[in-house]
Amino acid sequence: MKLKLFKQAPNFKLPSTNGDIFDISKIKKNIIIYFYPKDDTPGCTLEAKDFNKLNDIFNKKNTIVVGISKDTITSHLKFKKNTKLSLTYFQMKNY
């Protein structure tokens, strides 16, 4: 599936680090979705920290930031704890 910038994302539901199922169709805010290959790698950690630093600015703009990778929710939770991230992460399955 080819996606375009600034266009509506297709509907999807994924397990999240918040302990629930994230349903994009229920979100009434702007969403920045970033995909990354693996938790706790140097490049992915820098990227996540940069998004985390800007989170207050995004919130003021009615925007949430979420990260998606193939890692498990357990791995994402460890990643969030180790790097003190407040963002939400999702486990991408079979995509």
Side-chain angles (χ1 to χ4, degrees), residues 21-69:
I21 299 297
F22 177 84
D23 183 345
I24 195 169
S25 68
K26 305 253 191 260
I27 303 300
K28 303 298 181 209
K29 296 182 174 190
N30 300 311
I31 304 173
I32 296 171
I33 302 172
Y34 77 97
F35 295 87
Y36 65 101
K38 187 152 182 61
D39 292 336
D40 289 313
T41 58
C44 296
T45 300
L46 286 174
E47 181 179 37
K49 286 182 175 182
D50 285 346
F51 274 120
N52 204 69
K53 284 180 200 172
L54 298 171
N55 204 31
D56 287 340
I57 294 169
F58 290 128
N59 284 331
K60 289 177 185 173
K61 303 275 184 188
N62 197 36
T63 301
I64 62 171
V65 179
V66 298
I68 299 177
S69 82

Side-chain angles (χ1 to χ4, degrees), residues 14-17 22 66-69 71 73 76 88-92:
L14 293 173
S16 78
T17 54
F22 177 84
V66 298
I68 299 177
S69 82
D71 290 316
I73 293 299
H76 291 331
T88 301
Y89 290 88
F90 305 104
Q91 180 180 0
M92 183 172 62

